[in-house]
Amino acid sequence: MGFGMGLNLVLLLAMVATNILALYHLSSFQQLGSPPPPPVPDHLVHQLSTIRATINHLTLLRSTSANIPSHNRPVPPDLLLYSRLSPVASACRHHPDLLHRYMNYTPFALCPSDATLSETLILMGCHPLPRRRCFSPSPSCKSLSCLGFDPKSEPSNFLSPKSSLDLSIPQLFQLASNVSSPVRLALDVGAGTGTLAAKMKPFNVTVASTTMNVGKKYNEVIAMRGLLPLHVPLQQRFPMFDGVVDLVRCSHAVNRWIPTSSLEFLLYDVDRVLRGGGFLWLDHFFCKPADLEKVYTPMFGKLGYKVLKWATGNKTDSKVGEVYLTALMQKPMK
């Protein structure tokens, strides 16, 4: 059924429903001198209002699309590309067995312990997950030590650099001050246990940390530290409004293992949430030297950002001769 025919059918059904409701109301009137008719039930009034609003909306939709037949409207190529790289929530239907297991629970009771199953669905593009009518059990761990995490074991890279590949918080603030662009709100992509957010907190900077648990308790640790965890995968659109973030840090979780087209979509979503004058921080991005020159440097250059720091070095634990890149770039005012 074509788009126009479908709209016509919906409009016809809506008008029929409106007439039926009108007849119902008129049939309740009696002859002159009879008792007053009973009031129209509230639910019918609500339905009538809804139908009228639907008719108005569909009429407007029809008028704006009447000149463009649905079969002649091309699908945007980026939509086709992204749907293959990072499936949207409709991907739930592509994994019926996993989805059936996830939705097989006892309503109004405790939710089953299926965090690994839910993350598997999320990573396959089934996100946001369907809602369930069950209660999340209270976590048994009530301390960081219970979660197997010791803040003292964290690296001090964010406070004191060990090499040119490290960007410390004081260095970051100095670079930001040099270009008169303050840092107040940040997004840490692939944050692990929320180290950056914890180190930034004393400097009055709010950092939202995106992470997946993948068998560990990263989200619980971040929350236990009084920080903000965002349980989202790398392929998901950032849950931030446009142009509101001062700094986006991409940890070494963002690296050459991400397909280049997917990485490009990620970078442009970073650009979407960054305000003009905000900063993109690539922290220990690793790849092969030839790819850094031929693939990634041109990709980062397409953003048109001003380079404030650009440092490369060998990845000493690599068996294939990879290199690290740490860069700080500033988004121009557009």
Side-chain angles (χ1 to χ4, degrees):
M1 181 184 296
F3 181 73
M5 184 179 297
L7 279 179
N8 287 335
L9 180 58
V10 174
L11 283 170
L12 177 61
L13 293 174
M15 286 187 287
V16 170
T18 304
N19 290 332
I20 292 174
L21 288 173
L23 288 173
Y24 174 87
H25 180 55
L26 291 173
S27 66
S28 63
F29 284 92
Q30 306 294 326
Q31 297 296 326
L32 186 63
S34 300
V40 179
D42 290 341
H43 71 278
L44 290 180
V45 174
H46 177 71
Q47 290 176 9
L48 182 59
S49 300
T50 301
I51 290 172
R52 285 174 175 167
T54 302
I55 290 175
N56 292 335
H57 174 72
L58 291 175
T59 301
L60 177 63
L61 183 63
R62 181 186 181 188
S63 64
T64 57
S65 61
N67 297 326
I68 309 177
S70 60
H71 59 277
N72 289 336
R73 288 198 297 273
V75 178
D78 266 12
L79 178 58
L80 291 175
L81 174 61
Y82 190 78
S83 66
R84 298 188 186 102
L85 297 171
S86 304
V88 292
S90 60
C92 291
R93 63 186 176 87
H94 296 310
H95 308 282
D97 293 340
L98 293 177
L99 187 60
H100 178 77
R101 285 171 52 195
Y102 178 74
M103 295 303 292
N104 184 20
Y105 67 97
T106 303
F108 316 115
L110 284 178
C111 296
S113 179
D114 54 6
T116 301
L117 173 61
S118 64
E119 282 207 336
T120 300
L121 280 167
I122 289 173
L123 292 171
M124 290 181 173
C126 180
H127 193 65
L129 295 171
R131 287 178 171 172
R132 300 190 293 187
R133 296 173 299 161
C134 60
F135 300 100
S136 177
S138 300
S140 57
C141 298
K142 301 185 181 298
S143 67
L144 290 173
S145 59
C146 178
L147 292 169
F149 173 73
D150 181 7
K152 296 180 180 179
S153 66
E154 284 187 327
S156 58
N157 294 356
F158 292 123
L159 297 179
S160 56
K162 297 179 180 179
S163 73
S164 61
L165 289 169
D166 295 329
L167 178 61
S168 68
I169 293 174
Q171 289 174 328
L172 170 66
F173 286 156
Q174 183 60 55
L175 291 170
S177 176
N178 291 344
V179 293
S180 302
S181 186
V183 176
R184 300 151 298 192
L185 179 64
L187 177 65
D188 192 10
V189 181
T193 56
T195 304
L196 178 65
K199 303 292 186 181
M200 286 284 229
K201 193 173 183 179
F203 294 91
N204 201 29
V205 177
T206 301
V207 180
S209 305
T210 76
T211 187
M212 297 292 287
N213 275 19
V214 289
K216 298 185 179 179
K217 296 185 178 294
Y218 293 128
N219 281 273
E220 291 90 333
V221 167
I222 294 174
M224 189 72 70
R225 304 176 76 177
L227 308 171
L228 175 61
L230 297 178
H231 188 221
V232 296
L234 291 176
Q235 68 265 34
Q236 183 191 329
R237 185 178 189 266
F238 296 126
M240 301 283 187
F241 193 69
D242 299 1
V244 296
V245 177
D246 300 314
L247 168 71
V248 176
R249 170 185 174 258
C250 294
S251 74
H252 63 269
V254 179
N255 57 64
R256 74 177 182 90
W257 292 108
I258 300 176
T260 53
S261 296
S262 297
L263 179 60
E264 193 169 51
F265 274 110
L266 186 151
L267 289 174
Y268 280 89
D269 204 36
V270 168
D271 181 81
R272 178 186 64 81
V273 301
L274 274 178
R275 62 168 176 81
F279 304 98
L280 166 59
W281 176 5
L282 295 171
D283 192 1
H284 286 74
F285 176 90
F286 64 85
C287 62
K288 296 179 179 180
D291 290 339
L292 178 60
E293 179 183 354
K294 297 179 181 179
V295 179
Y296 297 111
T297 297
M299 181 186 297
F300 303 145
K302 287 179 182 179
L303 295 171
Y305 286 13
K306 179 181 179 181
V307 176
L308 303 180
K309 177 182 175 68
W310 187 278
T312 60
N314 292 328
K315 189 175 185 294
T316 55
D317 60 348
S318 173
K319 297 180 180 179
V320 292
E322 294 165 315
V323 294
Y324 276 129
L325 165 67
T326 292
L328 184 69
M329 297 174 282
Q330 185 181 25
K331 176 180 176 177
M333 303 296 295
K334 297 179 180 179

